[in-house]
Amino acid sequence: MIRKLLMLFLLLLAVAGIYFTASVLWPLDRPQTPDSDVSVVLRNINLVDLETGELRPDTDIAVRQGRIEAVGINLSAPGLQEVDGAGRYAIPGLFDMHVHSLRLSPVLTHPLFIAAGVTAVRDMGGCLGDFDSWIACAVDKREWNRATDAGAMVGPRYDQITSLPINGGSEIPSGWDLALGAPHAEGARQRVALDAARGIDFLKPYSLVPRESYFALIESARDRGMYLAGHKPLAISGFEAAAAGQRSIEHAFLFIWECYPGIEELRKQKNVRAAYTHETRREMLEQHDAEQCAALRRAMIAGGTAFVPTHTTRKLDAYSLDPEYRSDPRLKYVPAPLRTLWLADADSMAERAGVEGYASYRDFYEFGIEQTGRAHAAGVTVMAGTDAPDSFAFPGFGLHDELGHLSQAGLSPVEVLRTATIEPARFLGLEGEAGVIAAGARADIVLLRDNPLEDVQAVRSVDAVVLAGKIYDRDRLDAMLLQTARTANHWSMWPKFVWQALRSPIFRAQFAD
């Protein structure tokens, strides 16, 4: 009997091993680009001119070899295929200025970006080396970029590349020198030298970078033609970050934390999350120093520091118990392992908050939106970003949600659209190249069924996307969404995620605590 049980156990173990191995190795099909490159003239388009804020009806847009050749009325376009765009509204392809890419992004998130009209992203994560089984590294993103530009891949453009976030050393994967986490100034200089040699465009500081390391990072990066963009370390004030030249600061905490009279005491805390209690949140809201915030906004304008609030991530705090929020129909595009993590995040947030804390999270979220409106009105550059695929920050569609947040903050429709087009292009040094529909620009164009100047949520009415010389019509976009949903719910997703995460030094370092 014992022998039979042992044989059965070994058989089950073998079957499980075969299943796991097959799941890990099972290939997932990438969505295919349209078969042929096209040179077209889009006729009778309602062109949304985001520079003037005006609608230009009956406009033609000539596209040849992935570039906009001409824009005008009744264009002569010999040799170009004609496409009637009557009743459609054309906007430039959208940027999401805060995303995180995985090795599986080409099959799981890239199609969602394109289907939502997001044709370019700023990835805010990366690696120290050239390979990680979980996170997309610089070499991955460069290859994806080449493939997208050649029309051989469905995916957004990655115009600049960052590396692994810098957080004082705890984030450094095994096998690497902890000094590369910049626990001190010399380590900061080592890190800049390493990433500069790898062709990295900018460095992302995180919350726990020490003061001396931060200033060493920003000075050394400037000397090598790089810059800092990301979190504002807790040890550094917003005034100091702006004066030092940090190019962008992420997340809606900024104007609430930095305008709290007790912020200097919080800077001394070793465990900031433990100090960030319901009582502290209430104090931040009730004791908010409006004059301090006005001064910070002026400092950011003077320093050229942009703000990427990612209100979508704070919505999780505020709506973690809301049944409608937790059952968003777009969850079908999220792989089961990520869905499980997202819902676990929501459960954890609700548990930590308690009844009173939950209410303060809602107030905090709404007050953050108000502060973004004040920042924009004062002249701070605001750019749209989502943190996708962080919890309930849906790739692609999450940008539509974030544009809704910016509308709620008081920005007009054209101002909202600029946060995802003209402002990102200017930030990335792509003026005239991206974020506009004009002769000479790359032909990244989104055709909408509804007028976004009347209601910015018209960005959800995508009818077609032009990207790198390819036209993705509504039928193709729908087919891509269907394929992505099937892939996300494929039987191999759990083993693939587990296998990639367990083999990833970055994943293990992130969850070591």
PDB file of all heavy atoms in Angstrom, residues 216-248:
ATOM      1  N   ALA A 216      25.020  64.402  -4.989  1.00  0.00           N
ATOM      2  CA  ALA A 216      26.089  63.810  -5.792  1.00  0.00           C
ATOM      3  C   ALA A 216      25.524  63.217  -7.080  1.00  0.00           C
ATOM      4  O   ALA A 216      26.125  63.333  -8.162  1.00  0.00           O
ATOM      5  CB  ALA A 216      26.831  62.746  -4.991  1.00  0.00           C
ATOM      6  N   LEU A 217      24.365  62.573  -6.980  1.00  0.00           N
ATOM      7  CA  LEU A 217      23.709  62.010  -8.162  1.00  0.00           C
ATOM      8  C   LEU A 217      23.384  63.095  -9.185  1.00  0.00           C
ATOM      9  O   LEU A 217      23.700  62.968 -10.376  1.00  0.00           O
ATOM     10  CB  LEU A 217      22.412  61.302  -7.760  1.00  0.00           C
ATOM     11  CG  LEU A 217      22.472  59.892  -7.214  1.00  0.00           C
ATOM     12  CD1 LEU A 217      21.107  59.477  -6.671  1.00  0.00           C
ATOM     13  CD2 LEU A 217      22.944  58.895  -8.264  1.00  0.00           C
ATOM     14  N   ILE A 218      22.773  64.153  -8.711  1.00  0.00           N
ATOM     15  CA  ILE A 218      22.275  65.160  -9.654  1.00  0.00           C
ATOM     16  C   ILE A 218      23.424  65.943 -10.279  1.00  0.00           C
ATOM     17  O   ILE A 218      23.393  66.281 -11.463  1.00  0.00           O
ATOM     18  CB  ILE A 218      21.242  66.075  -8.961  1.00  0.00           C
ATOM     19  CG1 ILE A 218      20.264  66.636  -9.990  1.00  0.00           C
ATOM     20  CG2 ILE A 218      21.892  67.185  -8.141  1.00  0.00           C
ATOM     21  CD1 ILE A 218      18.966  67.141  -9.411  1.00  0.00           C
ATOM     22  N   GLU A 219      24.490  66.182  -9.514  1.00  0.00           N
ATOM     23  CA  GLU A 219      25.644  66.890 -10.060  1.00  0.00           C
ATOM     24  C   GLU A 219      26.397  66.015 -11.056  1.00  0.00           C
ATOM     25  O   GLU A 219      26.756  66.458 -12.154  1.00  0.00           O
ATOM     26  CB  GLU A 219      26.575  67.313  -8.920  1.00  0.00           C
ATOM     27  CG  GLU A 219      27.819  68.046  -9.397  1.00  0.00           C
ATOM     28  CD  GLU A 219      28.737  68.433  -8.260  1.00  0.00           C
ATOM     29  OE1 GLU A 219      28.355  68.239  -7.090  1.00  0.00           O
ATOM     30  OE2 GLU A 219      29.844  68.942  -8.539  1.00  0.00           O
ATOM     31  N   SER A 220      26.624  64.763 -10.684  1.00  0.00           N
ATOM     32  CA  SER A 220      27.349  63.856 -11.559  1.00  0.00           C
ATOM     33  C   SER A 220      26.557  63.563 -12.831  1.00  0.00           C
ATOM     34  O   SER A 220      27.124  63.469 -13.928  1.00  0.00           O
ATOM     35  CB  SER A 220      27.656  62.558 -10.803  1.00  0.00           C
ATOM     36  OG  SER A 220      28.478  61.712 -11.559  1.00  0.00           O
ATOM     37  N   ALA A 221      25.238  63.410 -12.693  1.00  0.00           N
ATOM     38  CA  ALA A 221      24.391  63.175 -13.868  1.00  0.00           C
ATOM     39  C   ALA A 221      24.455  64.367 -14.818  1.00  0.00           C
ATOM     40  O   ALA A 221      24.570  64.198 -16.043  1.00  0.00           O
ATOM     41  CB  ALA A 221      22.949  62.921 -13.431  1.00  0.00           C
ATOM     42  N   ARG A 222      24.396  65.574 -14.278  1.00  0.00           N
ATOM     43  CA  ARG A 222      24.455  66.767 -15.118  1.00  0.00           C
ATOM     44  C   ARG A 222      25.777  66.827 -15.889  1.00  0.00           C
ATOM     45  O   ARG A 222      25.806  67.180 -17.073  1.00  0.00           O
ATOM     46  CB  ARG A 222      24.293  68.017 -14.251  1.00  0.00           C
ATOM     47  CG  ARG A 222      24.225  69.321 -15.054  1.00  0.00           C
ATOM     48  CD  ARG A 222      24.141  70.533 -14.146  1.00  0.00           C
ATOM     49  NE  ARG A 222      22.913  70.525 -13.367  1.00  0.00           N
ATOM     50  CZ  ARG A 222      22.859  70.407 -12.044  1.00  0.00           C
ATOM     51  NH1 ARG A 222      23.978  70.262 -11.343  1.00  0.00           N
ATOM     52  NH2 ARG A 222      21.706  70.424 -11.411  1.00  0.00           N
ATOM     53  N   ASP A 223      26.861  66.464 -15.228  1.00  0.00           N
ATOM     54  CA  ASP A 223      28.174  66.483 -15.878  1.00  0.00           C
ATOM     55  C   ASP A 223      28.239  65.523 -17.063  1.00  0.00           C
ATOM     56  O   ASP A 223      29.047  65.707 -17.969  1.00  0.00           O
ATOM     57  CB  ASP A 223      29.272  66.115 -14.874  1.00  0.00           C
ATOM     58  CG  ASP A 223      29.496  67.202 -13.826  1.00  0.00           C
ATOM     59  OD1 ASP A 223      29.043  68.346 -14.047  1.00  0.00           O
ATOM     60  OD2 ASP A 223      30.116  66.911 -12.790  1.00  0.00           O
ATOM     61  N   ARG A 224      27.406  64.478 -17.040  1.00  0.00           N
ATOM     62  CA  ARG A 224      27.438  63.470 -18.100  1.00  0.00           C
ATOM     63  C   ARG A 224      26.249  63.595 -19.061  1.00  0.00           C
ATOM     64  O   ARG A 224      25.957  62.675 -19.819  1.00  0.00           O
ATOM     65  CB  ARG A 224      27.464  62.072 -17.476  1.00  0.00           C
ATOM     66  CG  ARG A 224      28.760  61.788 -16.723  1.00  0.00           C
ATOM     67  CD  ARG A 224      28.679  60.445 -16.025  1.00  0.00           C
ATOM     68  NE  ARG A 224      29.911  60.127 -15.302  1.00  0.00           N
ATOM     69  CZ  ARG A 224      30.950  59.468 -15.806  1.00  0.00           C
ATOM     70  NH1 ARG A 224      30.908  59.052 -17.054  1.00  0.00           N
ATOM     71  NH2 ARG A 224      32.014  59.220 -15.080  1.00  0.00           N
ATOM     72  N   GLY A 225      25.558  64.731 -19.005  1.00  0.00           N
ATOM     73  CA  GLY A 225      24.450  64.955 -19.926  1.00  0.00           C
ATOM     74  C   GLY A 225      23.200  64.168 -19.595  1.00  0.00           C
ATOM     75  O   GLY A 225      22.345  63.947 -20.460  1.00  0.00           O
ATOM     76  N   MET A 226      23.077  63.730 -18.337  1.00  0.00           N
ATOM     77  CA  MET A 226      21.898  62.996 -17.874  1.00  0.00           C
ATOM     78  C   MET A 226      21.133  63.870 -16.883  1.00  0.00           C
ATOM     79  O   MET A 226      21.553  64.981 -16.556  1.00  0.00           O
ATOM     80  CB  MET A 226      22.336  61.680 -17.225  1.00  0.00           C
ATOM     81  CG  MET A 226      23.164  60.780 -18.137  1.00  0.00           C
ATOM     82  SD  MET A 226      24.096  59.535 -17.214  1.00  0.00           S
ATOM     83  CE  MET A 226      22.763  58.420 -16.707  1.00  0.00           C
ATOM     84  N   TYR A 227      20.015  63.363 -16.400  1.00  0.00           N
ATOM     85  CA  TYR A 227      19.230  64.119 -15.430  1.00  0.00           C
ATOM     86  C   TYR A 227      18.506  63.166 -14.498  1.00  0.00           C
ATOM     87  O   TYR A 227      18.516  61.945 -14.703  1.00  0.00           O
ATOM     88  CB  TYR A 227      18.242  65.050 -16.137  1.00  0.00           C
ATOM     89  CG  TYR A 227      17.177  64.353 -16.971  1.00  0.00           C
ATOM     90  CD1 TYR A 227      15.949  64.001 -16.424  1.00  0.00           C
ATOM     91  CD2 TYR A 227      17.401  64.063 -18.322  1.00  0.00           C
ATOM     92  CE1 TYR A 227      14.977  63.382 -17.184  1.00  0.00           C
ATOM     93  CE2 TYR A 227      16.438  63.440 -19.094  1.00  0.00           C
ATOM     94  CZ  TYR A 227      15.223  63.101 -18.521  1.00  0.00           C
ATOM     95  OH  TYR A 227      14.260  62.477 -19.274  1.00  0.00           O
ATOM     96  N   LEU A 228      17.871  63.730 -13.467  1.00  0.00           N
ATOM     97  CA  LEU A 228      17.093  62.945 -12.511  1.00  0.00           C
ATOM     98  C   LEU A 228      15.609  63.223 -12.714  1.00  0.00           C
ATOM     99  O   LEU A 228      15.200  64.375 -12.934  1.00  0.00           O
ATOM    100  CB  LEU A 228      17.474  63.300 -11.062  1.00  0.00           C
ATOM    101  CG  LEU A 228      18.520  62.396 -10.382  1.00  0.00           C
ATOM    102  CD1 LEU A 228      19.833  62.461 -11.145  1.00  0.00           C
ATOM    103  CD2 LEU A 228      18.731  62.812  -8.926  1.00  0.00           C
ATOM    104  N   ALA A 229      14.810  62.176 -12.634  1.00  0.00           N
ATOM    105  CA  ALA A 229      13.352  62.295 -12.700  1.00  0.00           C
ATOM    106  C   ALA A 229      12.771  61.116 -11.943  1.00  0.00           C
ATOM    107  O   ALA A 229      13.218  59.981 -12.127  1.00  0.00           O
ATOM    108  CB  ALA A 229      12.859  62.286 -14.147  1.00  0.00           C
ATOM    109  N   GLY A 230      11.803  61.368 -11.089  1.00  0.00           N
ATOM    110  CA  GLY A 230      11.198  60.281 -10.322  1.00  0.00           C
ATOM    111  C   GLY A 230      10.693  60.765  -8.988  1.00  0.00           C
ATOM    112  O   GLY A 230      10.170  61.879  -8.866  1.00  0.00           O
ATOM    113  N   HIS A 231      10.860  59.929  -7.965  1.00  0.00           N
ATOM    114  CA  HIS A 231      10.422  60.311  -6.628  1.00  0.00           C
ATOM    115  C   HIS A 231      11.310  61.432  -6.096  1.00  0.00           C
ATOM    116  O   HIS A 231      12.484  61.547  -6.475  1.00  0.00           O
ATOM    117  CB  HIS A 231      10.514  59.117  -5.679  1.00  0.00           C
ATOM    118  CG  HIS A 231       9.445  58.096  -5.901  1.00  0.00           C
ATOM    119  ND1 HIS A 231       8.832  57.412  -4.883  1.00  0.00           N
ATOM    120  CD2 HIS A 231       8.866  57.633  -7.043  1.00  0.00           C
ATOM    121  CE1 HIS A 231       7.935  56.579  -5.368  1.00  0.00           C
ATOM    122  NE2 HIS A 231       7.939  56.693  -6.688  1.00  0.00           N
ATOM    123  N   LYS A 232      10.754  62.224  -5.195  1.00  0.00           N
ATOM    124  CA  LYS A 232      11.564  63.165  -4.444  1.00  0.00           C
ATOM    125  C   LYS A 232      11.945  62.463  -3.144  1.00  0.00           C
ATOM    126  O   LYS A 232      11.074  62.126  -2.351  1.00  0.00           O
ATOM    127  CB  LYS A 232      10.778  64.434  -4.132  1.00  0.00           C
ATOM    128  CG  LYS A 232      11.584  65.472  -3.368  1.00  0.00           C
ATOM    129  CD  LYS A 232      10.684  66.497  -2.733  1.00  0.00           C
ATOM    130  CE  LYS A 232       9.789  65.877  -1.701  1.00  0.00           C
ATOM    131  NZ  LYS A 232      10.522  65.195  -0.614  1.00  0.00           N
ATOM    132  N   PRO A 233      13.238  62.196  -2.919  1.00  0.00           N
ATOM    133  CA  PRO A 233      13.617  61.529  -1.674  1.00  0.00           C
ATOM    134  C   PRO A 233      13.086  62.275  -0.450  1.00  0.00           C
ATOM    135  O   PRO A 233      13.039  63.510  -0.444  1.00  0.00           O
ATOM    136  CB  PRO A 233      15.147  61.554  -1.719  1.00  0.00           C
ATOM    137  CG  PRO A 233      15.474  61.611  -3.178  1.00  0.00           C
ATOM    138  CD  PRO A 233      14.393  62.450  -3.794  1.00  0.00           C
ATOM    139  N   LEU A 234      12.702  61.534   0.560  1.00  0.00           N
ATOM    140  CA  LEU A 234      12.122  62.153   1.754  1.00  0.00           C
ATOM    141  C   LEU A 234      13.095  63.130   2.398  1.00  0.00           C
ATOM    142  O   LEU A 234      12.686  64.157   2.955  1.00  0.00           O
ATOM    143  CB  LEU A 234      11.733  61.068   2.762  1.00  0.00           C
ATOM    144  CG  LEU A 234      10.992  61.552   4.007  1.00  0.00           C
ATOM    145  CD1 LEU A 234       9.662  62.195   3.639  1.00  0.00           C
ATOM    146  CD2 LEU A 234      10.771  60.396   4.974  1.00  0.00           C
ATOM    147  N   ALA A 235      14.393  62.841   2.325  1.00  0.00           N
ATOM    148  CA  ALA A 235      15.396  63.694   2.968  1.00  0.00           C
ATOM    149  C   ALA A 235      15.574  65.037   2.270  1.00  0.00           C
ATOM    150  O   ALA A 235      16.231  65.933   2.798  1.00  0.00           O
ATOM    151  CB  ALA A 235      16.738  62.962   3.021  1.00  0.00           C
ATOM    152  N   ILE A 236      14.997  65.172   1.090  1.00  0.00           N
ATOM    153  CA  ILE A 236      15.155  66.385   0.281  1.00  0.00           C
ATOM    154  C   ILE A 236      13.818  67.113   0.213  1.00  0.00           C
ATOM    155  O   ILE A 236      12.775  66.490  -0.013  1.00  0.00           O
ATOM    156  CB  ILE A 236      15.613  66.016  -1.150  1.00  0.00           C
ATOM    157  CG1 ILE A 236      16.898  65.206  -1.114  1.00  0.00           C
ATOM    158  CG2 ILE A 236      15.773  67.267  -2.007  1.00  0.00           C
ATOM    159  CD1 ILE A 236      18.073  65.918  -0.523  1.00  0.00           C
ATOM    160  N   SER A 237      13.838  68.417   0.381  1.00  0.00           N
ATOM    161  CA  SER A 237      12.588  69.176   0.243  1.00  0.00           C
ATOM    162  C   SER A 237      12.284  69.400  -1.235  1.00  0.00           C
ATOM    163  O   SER A 237      13.174  69.319  -2.097  1.00  0.00           O
ATOM    164  CB  SER A 237      12.704  70.529   0.951  1.00  0.00           C
ATOM    165  OG  SER A 237      13.518  71.418   0.200  1.00  0.00           O
ATOM    166  N   GLY A 238      11.044  69.714  -1.522  1.00  0.00           N
ATOM    167  CA  GLY A 238      10.665  70.030  -2.890  1.00  0.00           C
ATOM    168  C   GLY A 238      11.408  71.249  -3.406  1.00  0.00           C
ATOM    169  O   GLY A 238      11.776  71.317  -4.590  1.00  0.00           O
ATOM    170  N   PHE A 239      11.671  72.212  -2.538  1.00  0.00           N
ATOM    171  CA  PHE A 239      12.420  73.407  -2.930  1.00  0.00           C
ATOM    172  C   PHE A 239      13.836  73.021  -3.353  1.00  0.00           C
ATOM    173  O   PHE A 239      14.352  73.517  -4.357  1.00  0.00           O
ATOM    174  CB  PHE A 239      12.484  74.389  -1.748  1.00  0.00           C
ATOM    175  CG  PHE A 239      11.157  74.981  -1.383  1.00  0.00           C
ATOM    176  CD1 PHE A 239      10.343  74.382  -0.436  1.00  0.00           C
ATOM    177  CD2 PHE A 239      10.716  76.148  -2.000  1.00  0.00           C
ATOM    178  CE1 PHE A 239       9.119  74.925  -0.102  1.00  0.00           C
ATOM    179  CE2 PHE A 239       9.489  76.707  -1.663  1.00  0.00           C
ATOM    180  CZ  PHE A 239       8.685  76.092  -0.719  1.00  0.00           C
ATOM    181  N   GLU A 240      14.459  72.122  -2.593  1.00  0.00           N
ATOM    182  CA  GLU A 240      15.817  71.699  -2.905  1.00  0.00           C
ATOM    183  C   GLU A 240      15.860  70.918  -4.218  1.00  0.00           C
ATOM    184  O   GLU A 240      16.784  71.090  -5.023  1.00  0.00           O
ATOM    185  CB  GLU A 240      16.374  70.845  -1.770  1.00  0.00           C
ATOM    186  CG  GLU A 240      16.644  71.628  -0.492  1.00  0.00           C
ATOM    187  CD  GLU A 240      17.065  70.737   0.658  1.00  0.00           C
ATOM    188  OE1 GLU A 240      16.380  69.713   0.893  1.00  0.00           O
ATOM    189  OE2 GLU A 240      18.053  71.066   1.331  1.00  0.00           O
ATOM    190  N   ALA A 241      14.889  70.047  -4.430  1.00  0.00           N
ATOM    191  CA  ALA A 241      14.852  69.251  -5.660  1.00  0.00           C
ATOM    192  C   ALA A 241      14.703  70.150  -6.883  1.00  0.00           C
ATOM    193  O   ALA A 241      15.374  69.958  -7.907  1.00  0.00           O
ATOM    194  CB  ALA A 241      13.725  68.236  -5.597  1.00  0.00           C
ATOM    195  N   ALA A 242      13.825  71.151  -6.773  1.00  0.00           N
ATOM    196  CA  ALA A 242      13.624  72.067  -7.895  1.00  0.00           C
ATOM    197  C   ALA A 242      14.872  72.905  -8.151  1.00  0.00           C
ATOM    198  O   ALA A 242      15.289  73.089  -9.296  1.00  0.00           O
ATOM    199  CB  ALA A 242      12.423  72.963  -7.619  1.00  0.00           C
ATOM    200  N   ALA A 243      15.481  73.403  -7.082  1.00  0.00           N
ATOM    201  CA  ALA A 243      16.677  74.228  -7.235  1.00  0.00           C
ATOM    202  C   ALA A 243      17.840  73.421  -7.797  1.00  0.00           C
ATOM    203  O   ALA A 243      18.663  73.938  -8.566  1.00  0.00           O
ATOM    204  CB  ALA A 243      17.066  74.845  -5.895  1.00  0.00           C
ATOM    205  N   ALA A 244      17.904  72.138  -7.436  1.00  0.00           N
ATOM    206  CA  ALA A 244      19.002  71.283  -7.910  1.00  0.00           C
ATOM    207  C   ALA A 244      18.820  70.878  -9.364  1.00  0.00           C
ATOM    208  O   ALA A 244      19.780  70.485 -10.023  1.00  0.00           O
ATOM    209  CB  ALA A 244      19.106  70.037  -7.034  1.00  0.00           C
ATOM    210  N   GLY A 245      17.590  70.936  -9.864  1.00  0.00           N
ATOM    211  CA  GLY A 245      17.359  70.626 -11.268  1.00  0.00           C
ATOM    212  C   GLY A 245      16.723  69.289 -11.547  1.00  0.00           C
ATOM    213  O   GLY A 245      16.821  68.779 -12.669  1.00  0.00           O
ATOM    214  N   GLN A 246      16.038  68.680 -10.565  1.00  0.00           N
ATOM    215  CA  GLN A 246      15.314  67.441 -10.866  1.00  0.00           C
ATOM    216  C   GLN A 246      14.252  67.760 -11.904  1.00  0.00           C
ATOM    217  O   GLN A 246      13.427  68.664 -11.708  1.00  0.00           O
ATOM    218  CB  GLN A 246      14.694  66.838  -9.606  1.00  0.00           C
ATOM    219  CG  GLN A 246      13.971  65.531  -9.876  1.00  0.00           C
ATOM    220  CD  GLN A 246      13.682  64.718  -8.629  1.00  0.00           C
ATOM    221  OE1 GLN A 246      14.417  64.766  -7.648  1.00  0.00           O
ATOM    222  NE2 GLN A 246      12.608  63.956  -8.658  1.00  0.00           N
ATOM    223  N   ARG A 247      14.234  66.997 -12.995  1.00  0.00           N
ATOM    224  CA  ARG A 247      13.389  67.363 -14.133  1.00  0.00           C
ATOM    225  C   ARG A 247      11.913  67.115 -13.897  1.00  0.00           C
ATOM    226  O   ARG A 247      11.063  67.855 -14.406  1.00  0.00           O
ATOM    227  CB  ARG A 247      13.839  66.579 -15.381  1.00  0.00           C
ATOM    228  CG  ARG A 247      15.183  66.968 -15.963  1.00  0.00           C
ATOM    229  CD  ARG A 247      15.141  68.269 -16.751  1.00  0.00           C
ATOM    230  NE  ARG A 247      14.028  68.368 -17.656  1.00  0.00           N
ATOM    231  CZ  ARG A 247      13.950  67.784 -18.871  1.00  0.00           C
ATOM    232  NH1 ARG A 247      14.967  67.026 -19.294  1.00  0.00           N
ATOM    233  NH2 ARG A 247      12.900  67.951 -19.633  1.00  0.00           N
ATOM    234  N   SER A 248      11.575  66.048 -13.176  1.00  0.00           N
ATOM    235  CA  SER A 248      10.163  65.820 -12.863  1.00  0.00           C
ATOM    236  C   SER A 248      10.049  65.134 -11.519  1.00  0.00           C
ATOM    237  O   SER A 248      10.949  64.397 -11.107  1.00  0.00           O
ATOM    238  CB  SER A 248       9.467  64.986 -13.942  1.00  0.00           C
ATOM    239  OG  SER A 248       9.853  63.625 -13.878  1.00  0.00           O
TER     240      SER A 248
END
